[in-house]
Amino acid sequence: MPEPETGKPDAPAKPAHPHTATLKRLEQSSGSLAAQAIARMDETLPWYRAMPPENRSWIGLVAQAGIAAFTEWFRQPDAPQAISTDVFGTAPRELTRAITLRQTVEMVRTTIEVMESAIDEVAAPGDESVLREALLVYAREIAFATAQVYAQAAEARGAWDARLESLVVNAVLSGEADEGAVSRAAALGWNSPEHVCVVLGTAPDGDSELTVEAIRRAARHAKLQVLTGVLGDRLVVIAGGRNDPLAVAKSLIGPFAQGPVVAGPVVPDLLAATRSAQAAAAGLKACTAWQDAPRPVLADDLLPERAIASDPSARDQLVEEIYRPLEEAGAALLETLSVYLEQASSLEGAARMLFVHPNTVRYRLRRVTDVTGWSPSDVRSAFTLRIALILGRLADGDPQL
């Protein structure tokens, strides 16, 4: 009795692979080919022999995955495949840090050479040219996949490094720099230079990444280490490696936008960089009060403006570095300086008020310069000295004020 018809047509038979024998021999040889590739690397690549066993084992897995991916490629050459996932997906992401792109290229080249030398043994009679051509196409694709893997890793590291650098810069500006910030900076290549200063100014419009890269180029040219970032409208640079903050600022000033650029004082390390950053920030705020200020300008050159703008550290610095040393040097210096400034910087007028010879006034003013580092005969220095005297007397509660 005939079987009842189901109404469903028979499924079409799957076409056989045109090179079944070669495919089968390739599958059977994959293990030995991987072993030969590893042996060849051990013989010809010194960096491979010097690697830790764990990394060598991961490279072995990558080589095996590469040969397996080629086998699948040969089986279905027209099927869309993600070679980078098939080959490099077996290895951890950290391997791209342990092995350079050049070393990866050498590893891939060695594996391809081993496979190419075995074509005559693996290919079925008459399939040698087919297998060789397939290997050539696959080598091209694996080269593109290698570049893609390292490009993605570099992009990820760049994004992570930018976030890390931003954390360090923020910590320094906010006064929260600690050992954690130092560790993050070390991960970015900061090797703890002895001299550190902070430079602040206005960030230019446009892509902040381009600005940051311009700062890095300028730093490389000046042989400086930098940690930098754009925070709001400010461009912040933490620079290390030179004991002259003004020279540092001049070498990095190119990428800053128009407007004042202020360099904080030099400090010994990154942990102390907050002091430099705060001085630079206070100087940037007060710089508008000194219309003829040079560009760049030192934060210490803006001490009187900073003091008037209610910067307590500037007030303390003026008192401790100018008024107190003059006080300790004797009442004659303080009195002479005060009278000289009140007499519109006139030697003769000060001498008459003090009942001394003008040469005595001249000698005492030179002593003021020696003690404080500021010259009363210079207009800008005289202004700084006058503010320091006022603040010192306020600190002492002088009843004459």
Side-chain angles (χ1 to χ4, degrees):
M1 187 173 183
E3 293 289 336
E5 294 185 4
T6 60
K8 294 182 180 179
D10 295 336
K14 185 177 182 180
H17 194 277
H19 307 286
T20 304
T22 297
L23 180 60
K24 184 175 181 181
R25 295 171 72 171
L26 185 59
E27 291 172 342
Q28 293 172 346
S29 303
S30 61
S32 62
L33 289 174
Q36 291 175 41
I38 295 300
R40 179 79 64 87
M41 290 182 210
D42 192 59
E43 293 173 4
T44 61
L45 303 179
W47 59 265
Y48 175 77
R49 294 193 299 271
M51 295 190 76
E54 181 182 2
N55 286 345
R56 288 203 303 270
S57 66
W58 282 118
I59 291 177
L61 289 178
V62 170
Q64 292 176 15
I67 295 173
F70 172 68
T71 302
E72 189 61 30
W73 175 280
F74 188 72
R75 184 195 310 275
Q76 297 176 303
D78 297 329
Q81 300 179 35
I83 291 182
S84 61
T85 303
D86 293 341
V87 177
F88 299 102
T90 59
R93 182 177 300 176
E94 291 77 9
L95 194 62
T96 57
R97 291 181 179 269
I99 304 176
T100 65
L101 177 58
R102 178 186 61 82
Q103 292 170 338
T104 303
V105 170
E106 290 178 350
M107 176 187 71
V108 171
R109 181 187 294 121
T110 301
T111 305
I112 295 295
E113 288 174 351
V114 167
M115 296 174 67
E116 189 175 17
S117 65
I119 284 179
D120 292 336
E121 299 176 6
V122 174
D127 281 353
E128 292 85 357
S129 61
V130 174
L131 188 59
R132 186 171 286 105
E133 183 178 352
L135 185 60
L136 181 63
V137 175
Y138 177 77
R140 182 191 67 185
E141 296 298 326
I142 199 69
F144 284 123
T146 302
Q148 181 184 20
V149 166
Y150 275 83
Q152 290 174 342
E155 185 176 353
R157 282 198 300 271
W160 172 251
D161 287 351
R163 289 193 293 270
L164 208 59
E165 191 168 13
S166 179
L167 287 174
V168 175
V169 172
N170 269 304
V172 169
L173 286 183
S174 63
E176 298 175 357
D178 54 13
E179 292 298 334
V182 174
S183 298
R184 296 185 189 100
L188 294 167
W190 181 268
N191 63 6
S192 301
E194 293 182 357
H195 308 296
V196 178
C197 69
V198 177
V199 182
L200 289 180
T202 303
D205 296 332
D207 191 343
S208 61
E209 292 183 6
L210 295 178
T211 301
V212 167
E213 185 54 36
I215 288 289
R216 292 200 178 104
R217 284 197 302 270
R220 285 193 295 268
H221 182 74
K223 295 180 173 56
L224 295 168
Q225 295 185 56
V226 295
L227 298 167
T228 184
V230 175
L231 303 180
D233 61 348
R234 285 185 179 180
L235 176 55
V236 184
V237 183
I238 304 170
R242 193 179 298 180
N243 196 25
D244 184 350
L246 191 60
V248 169
K250 287 180 178 179
S251 64
L252 301 176
I253 199 170
F256 284 86
Q258 292 297 318
V261 175
V262 182
V266 169
V267 292
D269 51 39
L270 190 62
L271 286 176
T274 291
R275 178 159 54 87
S276 182
Q278 290 175 344
L284 193 63
K285 177 183 176 182
C287 199
T288 53
W290 185 11
Q291 294 185 348
D292 296 327
R295 185 178 186 270
V297 62
L298 295 175
D300 282 356
D301 288 344
L302 288 159
L303 283 174
E305 286 82 8
R306 288 167 52 193
I308 294 172
S310 303
D311 178 9
S313 64
R315 293 183 175 186
D316 293 342
Q317 191 172 344
L318 286 170
V319 172
E320 297 301 324
E321 294 183 3
I322 295 179
Y323 184 79
R324 296 303 178 202
L326 286 174
E327 192 177 43
E328 293 171 2
L333 290 189
L334 271 177
E335 183 184 20
T336 300
L337 175 61
S338 178
V339 171
Y340 175 77
L341 295 175
E342 293 296 334
Q343 293 299 312
S345 300
S346 169
L347 285 172
E348 291 75 12
R352 287 194 299 271
M353 292 295 296
L354 295 169
F355 301 103
V356 296
H357 193 277
N359 285 342
T360 301
V361 176
R362 187 177 288 108
Y363 167 76
R364 291 177 181 176
L365 294 180
R366 283 200 299 268
R367 288 278 297 130
V368 169
T369 303
D370 294 339
V371 170
T372 66
W374 299 84
S375 172
S377 60
D378 177 78
V379 175
R380 177 69 190 176
S381 295
F383 174 61
T384 303
L385 290 167
R386 182 186 292 274
I387 297 298
L389 290 182
I390 294 172
L391 293 173
R393 290 165 180 161
L394 287 172
D396 288 346
D398 193 324
Q400 295 181 2
L401 296 178

